[in-house]
Amino acid sequence: MPPANAAKSRLAYIDWMRGLACLLMFQTHCYDSWLSPQARQSRFFMYSQLGGTFPAPLFLFLAGISFALVTEKLWQKDVAPAQIAGSTILRGAEIFTYGLLFRLQEYVISWGWAPKTDLLRVDVLNTIGLSMMLMGVVCWLVPVLAPRRQREKEEEQEDERAPFLPRVLRQGWEKMPRIPFVLAATGTALLISLLTPPLWTTWRPTWLPWPLESYVDGVHNLGVPQQGIFPVFPWTAFAFAGLAVGFILQSQWARKWEPRAFFALGVAGGLLIEFARWLDAQPRQFYSVQDYWHTSPSFFLIRVGMLLVISAASYAWCRWGLANWGFSPLILLGQASLLVYWVHIEFVYGRVSILPKRRMGIGAASAGLLIISLAMLALAYFRTRTKGRGLELLPWLHRTPAPLGQ
């Protein structure tokens, strides 16, 4: 592959994975909203919901990778750590605000029957925004707290990498202390995962008002942690896992041997899955109380392993597969993921649902899923075609129509 295409595939796989997350999200929401009680007892619905355990981790994991790419780019431009933290935290606050606006929109559209507590529901957009703010704080602290010995060792390595350059240029050869960043991100992800079971049970911060406690354990206003809520524990751990992977992929070795790096990620993912399964099969468990499908560190490791495998497969598909040869629906969906997430909810769960809720069989719900997917693909196509062209379209929109007959 030519170098330009290789560089393009490096970013295309991120959009492709976001598009995959959108597709998995569509099927999860459609079947959950439309299938009848009888159909919900089927094995088909069980597997559909199992696939639904991946969209949120994918979005958060990719947010971490993208965060690492942006941070690295700013480091290379000699932007100070405090400024990097400020800009990235501000971007996280923007996403968090989108989450609040999304809840407000849902409440207004559902006026009359939606409870006011829905305004404070912790959705995935809120968690992505909080994750970005937390990652900004960690990426600001790492250069400050990195041991001096580590920095001096990296400076010596930089001298070895570029001995032909003057000292002043060798110091800027690779300024980012990547190893501390990877270790900090990995450690934070593991810490969040390990703290999740007790924070959902014996260590629950019940002394907090429920809107704040819900960001810790997803309790909402119902007294116990709920499904469909996305609290910091454990969901933010996926973002920090992506952050660690993103910094690894920005290393000189990964850039030079990119296919090998992604192959290594896939192998590491497979090993992590097997390790997590072995860990869960042990007769003695560390936690006396845990919910495997929602709080178990073993299930977290399995999903991270799957994310690594998906990353490797996505890169290979975008570099050597059909996604490299032209139109890719998943890449298109991924480029407009926020918009299609925002819009499809109303046509699946809202008052304008295209099918009656909880009344459909599998066949009818699948037809509805196809319609939703095609509609969101068309919306994504329109969005990417018109993005950044608002000023160009204004003269056309204000053009005086010709008289009839001309």
Side-chain angles (χ1 to χ4, degrees):
M1 170 180 291
N5 289 340
K8 185 178 179 181
S9 70
R10 189 178 184 85
L11 299 178
Y13 86 95
I14 295 179
D15 287 330
W16 195 93
M17 290 176 68
R18 282 201 185 101
L20 176 63
C22 289
L23 203 59
L24 290 171
M25 175 179 64
F26 295 160
Q27 69 87 24
T28 303
H29 290 169
C30 287
Y31 291 130
D32 178 61
S33 176
W34 297 331
L35 285 183
S36 65
Q38 295 80 7
R40 294 171 71 88
Q41 300 301 317
S42 64
R43 185 179 296 271
F44 178 89
F45 180 72
M46 181 192 72
Y47 284 119
S48 167
Q49 297 306 293
L50 185 61
T53 63
F54 283 99
L58 272 167
F59 284 129
L60 286 157
F61 183 76
L62 291 170
I65 292 179
S66 299
F67 193 98
L69 298 179
V70 170
T71 302
E72 174 90 18
K73 189 174 182 180
L74 293 175
W75 269 93
Q76 297 301 330
K77 292 182 178 180
D78 293 329
V79 180
Q83 290 180 281
I84 296 175
S87 62
T88 52
I89 291 173
L90 186 62
R91 176 57 177 165
E94 181 181 350
I95 299 296
F96 183 80
T97 303
Y98 286 155
L100 298 178
L101 291 175
F102 175 74
R103 298 313 317 169
L104 178 61
Q105 171 197 280
E106 293 295 291
Y107 178 73
V108 171
I109 292 176
S110 304
W111 187 274
W113 57 272
K116 292 182 180 180
T117 53
D118 278 3
L119 289 168
L120 300 175
R121 183 183 179 90
V122 181
D123 215 332
V124 68
L125 284 180
N126 306 70
T127 305
I128 291 175
L130 276 177
S131 300
M132 293 177 67
M133 288 188 276
L134 291 173
M135 288 188 291
V137 172
V138 170
C139 290
W140 170 67
L141 289 175
V142 167
V144 176
L145 301 179
R148 181 173 179 82
R149 176 183 293 182
Q150 176 67 29
R151 292 199 295 268
E152 291 174 349
K153 182 178 179 181
E154 289 181 353
E155 289 176 0
E156 293 174 0
Q157 292 175 346
E158 290 161 9
D159 292 345
E160 295 174 358
R161 290 190 190 105
F164 53 91
L165 294 177
R167 173 74 180 178
V168 65
L169 294 181
R170 291 202 301 269
Q171 290 177 342
W173 184 252
E174 190 172 354
K175 297 181 179 180
M176 192 170 182
R178 188 169 288 103
I179 292 177
F181 273 94
V182 173
L183 293 177
T186 303
T188 304
L190 290 175
L191 180 63
I192 292 172
S193 178
L194 292 172
L195 288 176
T196 298
L199 284 174
W200 278 48
T201 53
T202 55
W203 293 0
R204 272 186 52 203
T206 54
W207 46 273
L208 288 173
W210 71 260
L212 295 180
E213 183 187 352
S214 194
Y215 281 94
V216 177
D217 54 23
V219 72
H220 199 52
N221 66 328
L222 301 174
V224 293
Q226 300 295 306
Q227 298 184 26
I229 307 293
F230 299 90
V232 169
F233 299 88
W235 295 102
T236 301
F238 292 106
F240 278 98
L243 184 67
V245 171
F247 284 133
I248 292 172
L249 293 176
Q250 288 299 296
S251 66
Q252 289 187 350
W253 176 84
R255 286 174 174 272
K256 182 177 180 180
W257 305 104
E258 194 170 80
R260 296 184 184 181
F262 277 92
F263 176 76
L265 280 182
V267 172
L271 294 175
L272 191 59
I273 292 171
E274 292 303 317
F275 170 73
R277 293 178 61 189
W278 172 84
L279 196 64
D280 186 62
Q282 299 307 302
R284 299 184 62 182
Q285 295 294 318
F286 183 76
Y287 300 100
S288 57
V289 180
Q290 67 173 344
D291 181 347
Y292 179 81
W293 297 104
H294 299 100
T295 66
S296 169
S298 297
F299 188 47
F300 166 74
L301 292 178
I302 287 177
R303 286 192 284 184
V304 171
M306 289 294 297
L307 292 173
L308 295 178
V309 172
I310 292 172
S311 299
S314 301
Y315 173 83
W317 180 251
C318 291
R319 179 158 185 172
W320 298 294
L322 294 180
N324 183 50
W325 296 99
F327 176 74
S328 173
L330 290 186
I331 289 178
L332 196 61
L333 282 174
Q335 292 171 344
S337 57
L338 178 59
L339 178 63
V340 299
Y341 166 81
W342 198 297
V343 172
H344 93 281
I345 290 290
E346 285 307 315
F347 294 97
V348 176
Y349 286 113
R351 284 185 171 179
V352 291
S353 173
I354 66 172
L355 290 176
K357 300 172 188 174
R358 301 296 178 98
R359 298 183 186 177
M360 298 291 102
I362 293 174
S366 298
L369 169 60
L370 179 61
I371 293 172
I372 287 291
S373 300
L374 292 176
M376 293 303 102
L377 183 62
L379 178 63
Y381 179 81
F382 177 78
R383 173 70 179 90
T384 54
R385 280 289 185 176
T386 59
K387 187 176 182 179
R389 297 178 58 194
L391 294 178
E392 298 175 20
L393 291 175
L394 284 178
W396 181 83
L397 292 173
H398 291 87
R399 186 179 299 165
T400 302
L404 292 176
Q406 293 187 7

